[in-house]
């Protein structure tokens, strides 16, 4: 594995225009995550946590500053090249799971690998089944997402994010829609899988207990991380 | 299968769920258009095909002519018969006469036929429904059913025949005397153009009436079964020097066949609008799907899908609707064509007028001929239109920004 930081961000700024007003959200953020490191980010609602995650995930373009994934700068990459790099380096877990309702659980997990075109169909299916076993849903591959509980859906989303063996997982309040017990179980799973596979994890959460599990805890206030 | 093709198929035909209303309506629109195109174009082809068959049967497959008078026709016939593709050849002379009966004149085309050879080329005997071919001699004529009906002539009646040659003689102050001829028979071929107005007489009589001497105007040629007439015309031409020309009887009726071809193209153009209207349903449904699935699109982008892959996912849905709709339309179309006798009988039972319709169109059943080329053209048009309908929603989906799509409520 490379010694490059899984992600490196410097002087990151992002603002939104609402009518005539320019609203700054991120103001010169510097940030770095080492390979396999677990970093949590907390902050009040609307402080820009999701925007930060979107920008470092290449889903939004910063106004200034730079983002590097595994030493590769995102500046100058066109939309398709950026998408290819994202498929290779980044896995994203959302609060709302975002499973595709028309396909079964196995195919949902496989989707990330199919998009990333990482391995043959046969190998992919085997890897997806193994990953489903790892998240405790080995016997649910043929079920449709609508038949799963919220916790099970999030497990599927975690399996999908980890299947492509990304360098970094960005998790945006992955337990936000779950009860405490299920949320804790999901966090256990996500943390253990990331540590086991040496995948860096950036967790945005409102839950102080979950944040406390991280190697490093950061709080976003007024567009910057508190010192 | 690429992921975007897989997702496109699953959007249209979700696993373990009922067929979505959008899929049903879009596929139905394309299927209706394709079905109507197959039925109508096949019936038009059927008319054209039957006509060609009737023309070839009533006139022979080819004719050898020089635009004037073929003097040594027996030598030319011998040359033709030496070719294994030629089954039979018969001389003929053509012209127009004034035929008068009970002071009512008409001006039908006349044809002089060799009584011995004609039957080898044209099955004339089977078309005679009153009188007999055996009664035809140098002083008699066979008349078509149209002439018999117009002038109310029966077999055995006498008719007066005037030829252009007689009018020429009138200019030289000679007395104009018509040739009195007996009606030996009445025929009906089923080809309206012939049945409406044609007089047949012996070749010798025609040579006499038109002053042809021993010459004829053309040699009718019948080809062996399975021989392509157009190609045979080209090949046989090599055996004759200009001005002798081998041409197809289809060429002589090209104007008639061209009308059918023109009507067929117009119907194709008009019915294509059904597919176009169907494609609007595809476009609006897919646009709705893009709005409904905005977050899903954002998810694919977040997982590393390119804009073109996302666009392809929606464009392929239009393509798949086109393919499935066309296939269903073809199957229903073929089924309806195979049931056409029952359907037309039922229609005539309701609205009446079967006999009149059959008399007008001169076919005893609705003719159908399925051309592979036409089917390919219909399929290509239907699929291309359906795919184009998916293009606008696809471009909209491809342009969505991942973060905005994920934020969509």
């Amino acid at each position: 594995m490379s010694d490059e930081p899984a992600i490196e961000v410097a002087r990151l700024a992002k603002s939104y225009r609402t009518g005539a007003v320019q609203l700054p959200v991120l103001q010169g953020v510097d940030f770095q995550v080492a390979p396999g490191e677990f970093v949590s980010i907390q902050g009040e609602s609307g402080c820009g946590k999701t925007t930060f995650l979107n920008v470092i995930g290449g889903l939004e373009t910063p106004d200034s500053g730079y983002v590097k994934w595994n030493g590769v700068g995102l500046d100058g990459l066109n939309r398709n090249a950026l998408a290819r790099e994202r498929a290779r380096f980044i896995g994203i877990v959302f609060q709302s799971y975002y499973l595709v309702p028309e396909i079964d659980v196995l195919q949902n997990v496989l989707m990330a690998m199919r998009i990333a075109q990482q391995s043959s169909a046969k190998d992919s299916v085997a890897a997806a089944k193994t990953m489903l076993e790892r998240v405790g849903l080995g016997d649910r591959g043929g079920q449709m997402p609508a038949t799963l509980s919220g916790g099970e859906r999030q497990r599927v989303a975690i399996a999908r994010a980890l299947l492509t063996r990304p360098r970094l997982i960005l998790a945006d309040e992955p337990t936000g829609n779950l009860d405490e017990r299920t949320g804790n179980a999901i966090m256990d799973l996500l943390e253990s899988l990331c540590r086991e596979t040496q995948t860096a994890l950036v967790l945005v959460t409102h839950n102080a207990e979950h944040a406390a599990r991280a190697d490093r805890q950061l709080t976003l206030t007024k567009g910057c991380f508190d010192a | 299968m690429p992921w975007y093709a897989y997702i496109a198929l699953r959007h249209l035909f979700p696993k373990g769920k009922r067929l979505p209303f959008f899929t049903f309506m879009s596929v139905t629109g394309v299927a209706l258009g394709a079905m109507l195109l197959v039925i109508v174009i096949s019936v038009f082809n059927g008319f054209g095909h039957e006509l060609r068959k009737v023309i070839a049967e009533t006139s022979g497959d080819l004719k050898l002519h020089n635009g004037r008078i073929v003097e040594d026709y027996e030598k030319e016939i011998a040359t033709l018969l030496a070719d294994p593709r030629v089954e039979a050849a018969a001389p003929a002379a053509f012209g127009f006469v004034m035929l008068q009966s009970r002071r009512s004149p008409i001006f039908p085309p006349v044809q002089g036929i060799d009584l011995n050879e004609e039957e080898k080329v044209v099955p004339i005997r089977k078309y005679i429904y009153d009188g007999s071919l055996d009664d035809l001699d140098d002083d008699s004529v066979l008349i078509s059913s149209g002439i018999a009906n117009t002038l109310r002539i029966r077999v055995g009646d006498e008719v007066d025949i005037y030829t252009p040659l007689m009018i020429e003689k009138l200019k030289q102050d000679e007395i104009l005397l018509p040739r009195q001829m007996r009606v030996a028979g009445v025929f009906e071929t089923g080809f309206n153009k012939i049945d409406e107005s044609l007089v047949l007489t012996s070749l010798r009589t025609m040579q006499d009436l038109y002053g042809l001497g021993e010459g004829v105007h053309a040699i009718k040629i019948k080809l062996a079964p399975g021989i392509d007439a157009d190609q045979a015309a080209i090949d046989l031409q090599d055996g004759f020097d200009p001005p002798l020309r081998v041409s197809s009887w289809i060429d002589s009726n090209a104007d008639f066949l061209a009308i059918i071809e023109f009507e067929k193209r117009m119907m194709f153009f008009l019915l294509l609008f059904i597919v176009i209207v169907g494609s609007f349903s595809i476009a609006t449904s897919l646009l709705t799907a893009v709005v409904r699935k905005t977050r899903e699109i954002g998810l694919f982008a977040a997982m590393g899908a390119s804009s073109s892959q996302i666009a392809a996912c929606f464009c392929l849905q239009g393509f798949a609707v086109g393919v499935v709709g066309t296939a269903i339309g073809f199957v229903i179309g073929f089924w309806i064509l195979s049931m056409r006798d029952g359907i037309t009988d039922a229609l005539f039972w309701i609205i009446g007028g079967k006999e009149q319709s059959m008399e007008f169109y001169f076919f005893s059943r609705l003719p159908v001929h399925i051309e592979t080329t036409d089917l390919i053209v219909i399929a290509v048009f239907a699929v291309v239109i359906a795919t184009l309908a998916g293009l606008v929603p696809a471009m909209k989906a491809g342009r969505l920004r991942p973060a905005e799509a994920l934020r969509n409520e």
Side-chain angles (χ1 to χ4, degrees):
Chain A
M1 193 175 280
S2 145
D3 290 334
E4 291 278 356
I7 191 159
E8 186 185 350
V9 165
R11 301 180 301 282
L12 206 63
K14 177 76 183 174
S15 60
Y16 293 108
R17 178 176 286 279
T18 50
V21 183
Q22 194 76 19
L23 185 72
V25 181
L26 303 175
Q27 303 182 62
V29 179
D30 295 317
F31 178 71
Q32 197 167 313
V33 179
E37 191 184 12
F38 177 7
V39 178
S40 67
I41 299 172
Q42 288 180 281
E44 291 174 359
S45 292
C47 71
K49 300 186 295 294
T50 299
T51 299
F52 176 69
L53 225 53
N54 284 341
V55 172
I56 67 171
L59 300 175
E60 281 189 81
T61 317
D63 297 339
S64 61
Y66 69 80
V67 178
K68 284 183 180 178
W69 294 337
N70 207 35
V72 178
L74 307 190
D75 288 348
L77 293 181
N78 65 28
R79 198 171 157 175
N80 287 344
L82 183 62
R84 271 197 305 276
E85 292 299 308
R86 187 163 51 238
R88 280 176 60 200
F89 289 113
I90 309 281
I92 306 179
V93 180
F94 301 95
Q95 181 179 350
S96 302
Y97 333 124
Y98 294 149
L99 301 184
V100 182
E102 289 91 356
I103 57 177
D104 62 28
V105 165
L106 181 68
Q107 290 298 333
N108 262 288
V109 175
L110 269 171
M111 195 47 64
M113 197 168 247
R114 289 178 95 153
I115 290 174
Q117 295 176 312
Q118 276 188 346
S119 54
S120 70
K122 200 176 163 186
D123 293 344
S124 299
V125 172
K129 283 181 175 169
T130 308
M131 189 54 81
L132 276 175
E133 295 277 354
R134 304 273 302 272
V135 298
L137 296 172
D139 55 343
R140 303 291 188 90
Q143 280 187 234
M144 300 305 282
T147 63
L148 302 181
S149 68
E152 287 169 335
R153 288 183 204 186
Q154 195 59 290
R155 284 168 187 266
V156 176
I158 290 169
R160 180 179 65 193
L162 283 166
L163 187 66
T164 53
R165 296 181 175 278
R167 294 290 315 275
L168 174 69
I169 290 284
L170 302 176
D172 189 3
E173 298 189 43
T175 60
N177 284 352
L178 304 172
D179 60 67
E180 194 182 340
R181 211 173 116 245
T182 314
N184 288 338
I186 287 293
M187 267 317 299
D188 290 344
L189 177 72
L190 184 60
E191 188 186 347
S192 66
L193 284 173
C194 284
R195 291 206 187 278
E196 195 182 309
T197 53
Q198 278 295 292
T199 307
L201 171 63
V202 176
L203 171 74
V204 165
T205 182
H206 282 293
N207 188 311
E209 277 181 40
H210 295 167
R213 293 169 176 234
D215 303 326
R216 198 152 46 103
Q217 293 180 59
L218 299 172
T219 306
L220 194 63
T221 313
K222 292 183 182 170
C224 288
F225 287 123
D226 289 345
Chain B
M1 187 191 295
W3 72 268
Y4 44 88
Y6 178 75
I7 290 292
L9 284 178
R10 282 287 164 257
H11 276 175
L12 290 172
F13 311 104
K15 197 177 167 187
K17 283 188 182 176
R18 276 191 319 172
L19 192 69
F21 188 66
F22 146 66
T23 308
F24 175 75
M25 292 306 286
S26 304
V27 167
T28 304
V30 177
L32 278 175
M35 178 197 78
L36 283 174
L37 277 168
V38 166
I39 293 172
V40 172
I41 298 302
S42 298
V43 169
F44 268 97
N45 280 339
F47 275 108
H49 194 71
E50 286 295 314
L51 266 177
R52 281 186 176 81
K53 242 169 74 180
V54 170
I55 290 168
E57 195 174 286
T58 54
S59 311
D61 296 306
L62 303 173
K63 64 177 173 177
L64 177 71
H65 59 109
N66 60 9
R68 298 160 75 179
I69 298 169
V70 181
E71 297 288 356
D72 195 2
Y73 69 85
E74 281 173 348
K75 185 188 121 200
E76 313 300 359
I77 286 178
T79 309
L80 284 168
L81 290 175
D83 192 300
R85 283 169 295 189
V86 176
E87 193 173 285
F94 308 95
F96 282 87
V97 291
M98 184 174 93
L99 186 149
Q100 188 169 293
S101 171
R102 298 187 199 96
R103 296 192 176 182
S104 298
I106 57 167
F107 302 87
V110 63
Q111 206 180 112
I113 56 172
D114 186 312
L115 299 179
N116 298 320
E117 301 300 320
E118 182 71 9
E119 268 200 283
K120 294 176 187 167
V121 178
V122 178
I124 191 162
R125 194 176 292 275
K126 80 170 187 189
Y127 298 134
I128 296 172
Y129 68 87
D130 194 9
S132 168
L133 180 64
D134 300 328
D135 294 340
L136 183 66
D137 55 24
D138 293 346
D139 293 316
S140 60
V141 289
L142 295 173
I143 58 170
S144 67
S145 56
I147 295 175
N149 292 335
T150 307
L151 298 182
R152 293 180 184 167
I153 303 171
R154 288 183 193 167
V155 172
D157 287 356
E158 295 278 338
V159 291
D160 292 335
I161 302 281
Y162 298 82
T163 67
L165 197 65
M166 291 174 183
I167 294 164
E168 281 299 314
K169 283 180 180 172
L170 187 65
K171 285 182 191 167
Q172 293 159 16
D173 294 334
E174 290 186 26
I175 296 166
L176 181 63
L177 287 176
R179 178 94 174 249
Q180 275 204 331
M181 300 188 92
R182 177 177 46 84
V183 175
V186 184
F187 62 87
E188 187 168 89
T189 60
F191 184 23
N192 206 32
K193 200 178 171 188
I194 289 176
D195 295 342
E196 207 172 65
S197 177
L198 181 66
V199 174
L200 293 176
T201 186
S202 72
L203 183 62
R204 210 162 27 236
T205 304
M206 190 62 189
Q207 285 168 331
D208 188 30
L209 287 172
Y210 260 69
L212 299 176
E214 289 299 311
V216 296
H217 284 128
I219 298 164
K220 295 180 187 176
I221 302 165
K222 185 180 184 185
L223 296 170
I227 301 291
D228 177 55
D230 292 327
Q231 188 55 48
I234 295 166
D235 296 344
L236 288 172
Q237 182 64 60
D238 295 342
F240 301 96
D241 296 325
L244 279 172
R245 201 161 73 86
V246 182
S247 63
S248 154
W249 279 101
I250 305 292
D251 294 344
S252 312
N253 292 278
D255 52 341
F256 200 61
L257 292 164
I259 291 169
I260 293 178
E261 191 62 28
F262 176 73
E263 286 177 350
K264 176 182 139 182
R265 284 186 188 158
M266 285 307 293
M267 289 308 287
F268 182 88
F269 175 71
L270 293 173
L271 290 174
L272 204 60
F273 276 90
I274 295 177
V275 181
I276 292 171
V277 170
S279 75
F280 275 90
S281 142
I282 298 171
T284 48
S285 305
L286 281 176
L287 274 171
T288 313
V290 170
V291 174
R292 208 159 29 89
K293 295 190 176 291
T294 299
R295 281 179 160 205
E296 203 173 290
I297 293 166
L299 168 76
F300 293 139
M303 287 196 291
S306 66
S307 318
S308 50
Q309 287 174 328
I310 291 168
C313 177
F314 285 88
C315 208
L316 280 172
Q317 290 184 49
F319 175 79
V321 166
V323 171
V324 174
T326 304
I328 292 173
F330 274 24
V331 169
I332 299 174
F334 293 146
W335 178 74
I336 289 177
L337 287 175
S338 72
M339 304 288 285
R340 64 187 182 279
D341 290 343
I343 294 169
T344 48
D345 283 349
L347 275 176
F348 282 127
W349 184 75
I350 295 165
I351 61 172
K354 181 177 181 176
E355 285 73 22
Q356 292 89 325
S357 292
M358 289 307 174
E359 195 174 314
F360 183 76
Y361 287 110
F362 59 80
F363 297 123
S364 57
R365 65 191 294 236
L366 198 64
V368 164
H369 181 72
I370 296 166
E371 289 266 4
T372 315
T373 324
D374 285 334
L375 295 183
I376 292 170
V377 171
I378 292 168
V380 166
F381 266 90
V383 173
V384 166
I385 288 171
T387 310
L388 287 178
L391 209 57
V392 175
M395 284 163 66
K396 186 177 161 61
R399 275 203 296 263
L400 282 174
R401 296 187 175 280
E404 285 170 20
L406 286 167
R407 266 199 296 269
N408 185 271
E409 293 298 330

